[in-house]
Amino acid sequence: MERPLLNAYVNVCFKLPNDEQAQLSDQSAVIITAWNPHSLRLPDAENAKRNQLLQKELETRFFCKLLVGNEKDNWFEESYWVFLSLKEGLLLAEKYQQNAIYWVKDQQVNLVYCADKQPIYIGELKDFWP
């Protein structure tokens, strides 16, 4: 993955309501979106449709909506914090043509590329909340 795209994946924050943050912090999960397949920017309306399809697939699971992005660049993507195994998360990411997902386990945030499926540690969960 090219350095600018890698930096975009690593230099993010996660935004969700404060009351939910405490509930989620101790549980393993994946953070996934259907926005901008293969990092190709789509119109917001198209991204919203894609995310609605993803949400339908998540309805049998506990999930929480959140924003993932960069405040400095004023860029965020609507995403989902969902209690799935890493394997299940990667299958959904491939289906929705995503380059990568975040995997949170034991308060550790990992970036996982769909191509090689290898987690890359990028930091402590507490550091990703604004």
Side-chain angles (χ1 to χ4, degrees), residues 57-91:
E57 291 198 49
L58 301 177
E59 286 180 348
T60 61
R61 306 286 187 151
F62 177 81
F63 69 89
C64 180
K65 292 182 180 183
L66 75 158
L67 296 174
V68 175
N70 186 304
E71 287 185 303
K72 185 179 109 184
D73 297 332
N74 199 27
W75 159 80
F76 286 93
E77 292 184 354
E78 294 176 4
S79 302
Y80 299 96
W81 176 292
V82 59
F83 300 118
L84 292 175
S85 69
L86 177 57
K87 182 179 179 179
E88 291 171 304
L90 285 166
L91 288 172

Side-chain angles (χ1 to χ4, degrees), residues 35 43-53 78 80:
W35 276 48
D44 287 349
E46 181 62 28
N47 281 324
K49 286 179 192 175
R50 292 175 55 82
N51 248 17
Q52 286 173 348
L53 292 172
E78 294 176 4
Y80 299 96

Side-chain angles (χ1 to χ4, degrees), residues 1 3 5-14 29-31 68-69 75 81 100-113 118-129:
M1 182 170 287
R3 178 59 86 192
L5 188 54
L6 174 62
N7 286 340
Y9 277 113
V10 172
N11 297 310
V12 296
C13 68
F14 305 146
V30 298
I31 298 172
V68 175
W75 159 80
W81 176 292
I101 60 174
Y102 297 97
W103 179 44
V104 181
K105 183 175 180 181
D106 299 326
Q107 303 287 317
Q108 310 292 306
V109 179
N110 296 273
L111 180 65
V112 185
Y113 295 111
Q118 296 302 310
I120 301 167
Y121 173 75
I122 60 172
E124 297 281 325
L125 180 59
K126 65 180 176 53
D127 297 329
F128 288 86
W129 302 123

